[in-house]
Amino acid sequence: MLLAILSGFLLATVAPAVHRQTGMNSGWVLAILPAALFLYFLSFLPAVGSGESIVISYPWVPGLDIQLSFLVDGLSLLFALLISGIGFFIVAYAGRYLEGHKDLGRFYVLILSFMASMLGLVLSDNLISLFVFWELTSITSYLLIGFNHEDATARRSALQGLFVTVGGGLALLTGLVMMAVVTGSYELSEILSSGDALRDHGWYVAIVLLVLLGCFTKSAQVPFHFWLPRAMAAPTPVSAYLHSATMVKAGVYLMARLNPSLGATDLWLILLGVFGALTMFTGVFMSIRSTGVKQVLAYSTVMALGTLTMLIGVGTDTAIMAAMAFLLAHSLYKGALFLIAGILDHEAGCKDFLQTGGLRHALPITATFAAIAALSLGGVIPMFGFVAKELLFEAVLEAPSLSGLLSLLTVASAILVVAVAAVVGIKPYWGPRVETPKTPHHEAPPAMLAGPAVLASLGLLFGVGVAMVDRGLLSAAAGAVYGSPVETYLSLWHGFNLPLMLSLLSLVLGLTIYFNWDRFRTATGFMDDLKRFGPERAYDKSMDGLVSISEWQTRVLQNGYLRYYLLTILLSTVALVTFSIARAGGLEIQMSLAGVRIQELVIVAVLLLAALVSVTTSSRLGAVASLGAVGFSVALIYVLFSAADVGITQVLVETLTVIMLVLVLFRLPGFLGLTPQALRIRDAVVALAFGVMVALLSLAASSTRFADSISEYFIRESEPSGFGRNIVNVILVDFRALDTLGEIVVLALAAVGVYAMIKLRAEDNRK
């Protein structure tokens, strides 16, 4: 399993070389890896279809009990098959779509790395590795969206997607760590069996909110939906891959994966049900109002993501089965439609549906498979999309709560989806011929037609032969999401019932809207004015605010003045330490002046007097000499307390420092004047606060003993371990050898400095 994921990254490193060697066939050659991975994952289907879950684990960070583990069950296998299967067609398609592009080799590197990251995400059983792959998908998708990096729009869209998804990823990381703390494990296979412990814990609400924030940003739920249509700045193969099977469904995958442990509560149902339904309706409404080919498909993807989120929130066995069926149906028809959008652009130069019409004569094969995929999008019998839509209606009608709201939004969305399907399946190919930017003279090459042909045909095949994916793959996936085997089954025909009536109603009203598309867009034109108050506007304002804050903190904190840097560091340290002390209930200090000798008092007095002179004198040399007196006083204290080696080091370093400062400063005039009194008072207060803090911490440290004195160990082990009777020498050479080495280095540097100054002084005298 690990090799399967790593193979994607490994092939990505050699992809440019393969492209150079194979030329226009590079897409087919590099697509061999996704095809091989698809067959490899397909080999797990018999075991997974029988209800088995396979866990494969490798040691990763044994000291922290973190494993690099992978879980293969119905849900992860469904995603792995979609990622590798659709990935095969995407890589082959890209070889011809981007043929001649100067950065095609770089594209292969990014798309294969993205594929490997997605496989790692959906197969990970460990929360840490899952999050690593989660962020890798954000980074690689950022590079893919901004593939045309010379285009300012592509760069902006890529940054927008990165900021939104990575911001949510930080919240997700917090939620995952909290989940691991509550359950005592980082393994998903163990967490999924700890649902009661999670739901009963006081952190449950916080965990759900944090995890869903990460999932909502990744899967473009309202109000974070705005970044996904902007991602259409990416090349069409990227759009097809991101929207059909990969990144935008990562959040849906994680919500489905965690449903057994976090679901089955009112909070879960309300958050996923309401936000999912709003996203569903918002996406399809914006889709039918758009005219750009890729933009219409992008907003319909937002609709699909909202639908999946809503169904996971409903949580019944019918809803979960409907979610898995809808997931598969959407991956098939949306992958096909995006690839067909690329054909329209490649052959006819069409980027807007208003530029299309009558292309069925020039592109008959493309028109055929576009119609098949559009029928599945619209949920027309006998397509697999119809099977999923029927089950969707049944699930929302039987929802345990919010059934009325969810049913209303679902029916309204289904009506508009039919109109969208008619736009993408009828508008470009039927009606009078419209002059396109390019005149198509032939069909797209086989590498570009293979994906739409197979994916659209599978949508029809799975609808007619629904048992092919029901009992094995989709039932296993639904069981993994539901937490136990599901009883619901898929069928093309359930008889005349309410879901069928709603489906027929959506077809009639949807086609009515399509035939009045222009009037519908005109009547809803007021929505354009509301964009000024939408979430994307809030995003732009927040980015502007971030820039303003950055400019302010650069001006105030990173201004290039050392004194302000010191003030910031000292005040921050005092504030943090004071807060920590107050939270801990204060310090325990044991202090006694008994036994203090007269010479020690004299040294302290000299030290204080020298420090006072250094801050009040107006002479630079006087200040240097006073600071030197402070340093030498500290050296005397070391000597008095039997730290002769440290004292010698202090004397040498202090001597070198004083000499260097004197050599530099004696040529400078005295201070022109002291700083203003207010600033001196400020500096004195800061210095006093920091000094008192350090003094209190030192006293507290000397008053606290967590273990016995180490001196007894040195005395006992000096001869048997260090082979010496001179305990001080043994400590310096053996027990504290690294510390002694540091002191030797300091002394050597001091000696080099003194020698350099003497030599330079002698050369100056000769001159």
Side-chain angles (χ1 to χ4, degrees):
M1 186 65 63
L2 180 60
L3 182 60
I5 296 172
L6 290 178
S7 62
F9 292 111
L10 294 174
L11 183 60
T13 61
V14 299
V18 174
H19 165 58
R20 288 193 296 270
Q21 294 297 322
T22 56
M24 64 181 296
N25 295 317
S26 59
W28 287 115
V29 174
L30 292 171
I32 293 174
L33 174 66
L37 290 176
F38 178 81
L39 295 176
Y40 169 71
F41 292 126
L42 199 62
S43 67
F44 288 93
L45 186 57
V48 171
S50 63
E52 185 178 352
S53 294
I54 303 168
V55 177
I56 304 171
S57 182
Y58 306 93
W60 189 16
V61 189
L64 298 177
D65 195 26
I66 296 178
Q67 309 297 317
L68 189 60
S69 51
F70 302 97
L71 171 64
V72 183
D73 62 0
L75 179 63
S76 58
L77 182 60
L78 173 60
F79 270 90
L81 289 173
L82 290 173
I83 292 166
S84 56
I86 296 179
F88 165 77
F89 295 111
I90 295 297
V91 175
Y93 181 98
R96 293 306 303 271
Y97 182 82
L98 295 173
E99 184 180 355
H101 196 291
K102 62 183 179 66
D103 290 325
L104 180 55
R106 177 165 63 89
F107 176 86
Y108 286 137
V109 172
L110 297 176
I111 200 72
L112 290 170
S113 298
F114 178 77
M115 180 191 70
S117 301
M118 275 302 305
L119 287 174
L121 191 159
V122 300
L123 293 168
S124 288
D125 188 44
N126 182 273
L127 294 181
I128 301 300
S129 61
L130 183 147
F131 180 75
V132 170
F133 286 118
W134 180 281
E135 292 301 282
L136 282 175
T137 62
S138 294
I139 294 171
T140 50
S141 65
Y142 158 73
L143 296 173
L144 285 168
I145 295 170
F147 177 73
N148 297 317
H149 54 85
E150 296 178 356
D151 183 1
T153 301
R155 295 197 303 271
R156 183 183 184 278
S157 300
L159 279 174
Q160 187 181 76
L162 181 69
F163 287 157
V164 174
T165 56
V166 170
L170 295 176
L172 174 65
L173 176 61
T174 306
L176 295 179
V177 172
M178 293 172 67
M179 190 184 308
V181 171
V182 172
T183 60
S185 174
Y186 280 93
E187 302 300 309
L188 271 170
S189 53
E190 298 178 16
I191 293 174
L192 295 179
S193 61
S194 304
D196 292 337
L198 278 168
R199 287 186 286 266
D200 294 337
H201 199 276
W203 290 359
Y204 172 74
V205 174
I207 291 174
V208 168
L209 293 177
L210 291 168
V211 169
L212 290 186
L213 182 58
C215 295
F216 282 6
T217 54
K218 198 79 161 184
S219 287
Q221 299 298 295
V222 168
F224 307 107
H225 62 285
F226 59 88
W227 74 264
L228 193 149
R230 296 293 183 186
M232 293 302 96
T236 298
V238 175
S239 303
Y241 203 30
L242 263 66
H243 286 239
S244 62
T246 52
M247 179 183 169
V248 296
K249 287 195 174 80
V252 169
Y253 164 79
L254 190 56
M255 287 185 282
R257 172 60 72 202
L258 296 176
N259 182 67
S261 54
L262 295 180
T265 65
D266 291 338
L267 177 66
W268 185 261
L269 170 59
I270 292 173
L271 289 177
L272 271 69
V274 172
F275 279 93
L278 290 176
T279 302
M280 173 180 62
F281 181 75
T282 300
V284 71
F285 183 79
M286 297 303 297
S287 179
I288 193 60
R289 291 204 69 256
S290 302
T291 61
V293 175
K294 291 173 66 175
Q295 195 173 39
V296 169
L297 296 174
Y299 276 117
S300 68
T301 298
V302 173
M303 175 278 300
L305 297 172
T307 303
L308 292 168
T309 300
M310 177 188 68
L311 290 171
I312 295 170
V314 171
T316 61
D317 57 350
T318 303
I320 298 302
M321 179 59 87
M324 296 302 100
F326 194 88
L327 172 69
L328 177 58
H330 175 263
S331 297
L332 296 177
Y333 67 66
K334 189 54 62 70
L337 289 173
F338 260 113
L339 295 179
I340 288 171
I343 292 176
L344 289 176
D345 184 19
H346 189 269
E347 300 299 327
C350 299
K351 298 181 183 297
D352 195 290
F353 281 116
L354 299 180
Q355 300 174 324
T356 62
L359 290 174
R360 68 186 183 280
H361 301 294
L363 305 172
I365 300 177
T366 301
T368 300
F369 291 117
I372 296 174
L375 288 173
S376 189
L377 168 62
V380 179
I381 197 169
M383 307 302 300
F384 190 68
F386 170 79
V387 177
K389 186 169 75 170
E390 292 284 283
L391 208 56
L392 165 63
F393 284 139
E394 184 179 344
V396 296
L397 289 171
E398 298 174 356
S401 61
L402 302 175
S403 176
L405 173 64
L406 300 184
S407 299
L408 177 63
L409 291 175
T410 301
V411 172
S413 299
I415 294 170
L416 295 178
V417 164
V418 172
V420 171
V423 170
V424 300
I426 298 175
K427 182 72 172 67
Y429 312 102
W430 299 89
R433 179 74 169 89
V434 175
E435 191 66 29
T436 55
K438 291 166 57 178
T439 301
H441 298 289
H442 53 75
E443 280 284 1
M448 296 179 65
L449 281 173
V454 173
L455 296 176
S457 299
L458 286 176
L460 175 59
L461 180 63
F462 291 161
V464 176
V466 69
M468 298 174 61
V469 292
D470 178 16
R471 293 304 178 188
L473 184 59
L474 293 184
S475 293
V481 179
Y482 190 60
S484 61
V486 297
E487 300 298 330
T488 303
Y489 65 93
L490 297 178
S491 176
L492 182 63
W493 180 253
H494 289 276
F496 290 97
N497 52 20
L498 182 56
L500 179 62
M501 297 299 103
L502 293 176
S503 183
L504 292 175
L505 176 66
S506 67
L507 286 173
V508 173
L509 295 182
L511 289 175
T512 302
I513 292 176
Y514 166 71
F515 288 115
N516 295 275
W517 187 34
D518 292 332
R519 276 188 276 181
F520 179 84
R521 288 188 294 110
T522 302
T524 56
F526 65 92
M527 295 298 299
D528 294 332
D529 297 330
L530 297 180
K531 288 183 178 180
R532 294 180 299 169
F533 310 101
E536 187 169 12
R537 179 68 171 174
Y539 167 84
D540 292 334
K541 287 294 184 181
S542 65
M543 290 297 103
D544 294 340
L546 183 62
V547 171
S548 298
I549 293 174
S550 299
E551 292 175 346
W552 171 84
Q553 73 89 23
T554 301
R555 185 173 61 254
V556 175
L557 301 179
Q558 304 292 328
N559 45 43
Y561 290 97
L562 180 60
R563 57 181 176 269
Y564 292 134
Y565 293 169
L566 288 174
L567 282 173
T568 302
I569 294 171
L570 297 180
L571 286 174
S572 300
T573 304
V574 169
L576 292 173
V577 171
T578 302
F579 173 78
S580 300
I581 292 173
R583 188 174 182 182
L587 296 174
E588 295 183 6
I589 298 176
Q590 298 176 3
M591 184 176 63
S592 175
L593 296 179
V596 178
R597 294 169 293 181
I598 183 65
Q599 61 268 33
E600 296 168 0
L601 293 175
V602 171
I603 293 174
V604 170
V606 172
L607 190 152
L608 292 174
L609 181 61
L612 183 62
V613 170
S614 67
V615 298
T616 57
T617 182
S618 59
S619 170
R620 300 180 190 272
L621 294 179
V624 171
S626 300
L627 289 175
V630 172
F632 291 127
S633 299
V634 173
L636 282 175
I637 293 176
Y638 289 148
V639 173
L640 286 178
F641 285 89
S642 302
D645 55 334
V646 181
I648 293 172
T649 304
Q650 174 75 13
V651 168
L652 290 175
V653 173
E654 197 64 42
T655 301
L656 176 63
T657 303
V658 171
I659 292 174
M660 290 179 65
L661 289 174
V662 167
L663 289 176
V664 172
L665 297 179
F666 85 99
R667 299 178 182 274
L668 299 178
F671 294 116
L672 296 177
L674 297 176
T675 54
Q677 185 177 11
L679 294 182
R680 281 184 285 147
I681 294 175
R682 179 202 64 187
D683 295 343
V685 170
V686 173
L688 183 63
F690 190 80
V692 170
M693 179 201 73
V694 172
L696 292 176
L697 289 178
S698 301
L699 291 172
S702 63
S703 303
T704 304
R705 186 179 296 277
F706 296 102
D708 295 334
S709 175
I710 199 173
S711 59
E712 296 295 331
Y713 171 81
F714 288 149
I715 295 172
R716 184 175 65 254
E717 297 294 330
S718 176
E719 186 172 356
S721 299
F723 304 101
R725 293 187 177 89
N726 188 319
I727 298 175
V728 174
N729 288 349
V730 172
I731 292 173
L732 293 175
V733 176
D734 294 289
F735 294 122
R736 293 175 55 193
L738 189 61
D739 183 39
T740 304
L741 176 63
E743 293 183 5
I744 293 173
V745 171
V746 172
L747 292 174
L749 291 174
V752 170
V754 171
Y755 173 77
M757 287 190 296
I758 293 174
K759 186 174 180 60
L760 291 173
R761 186 69 173 175
E763 291 178 356
D764 289 342
N765 290 335
R766 285 197 297 271
K767 292 179 181 179

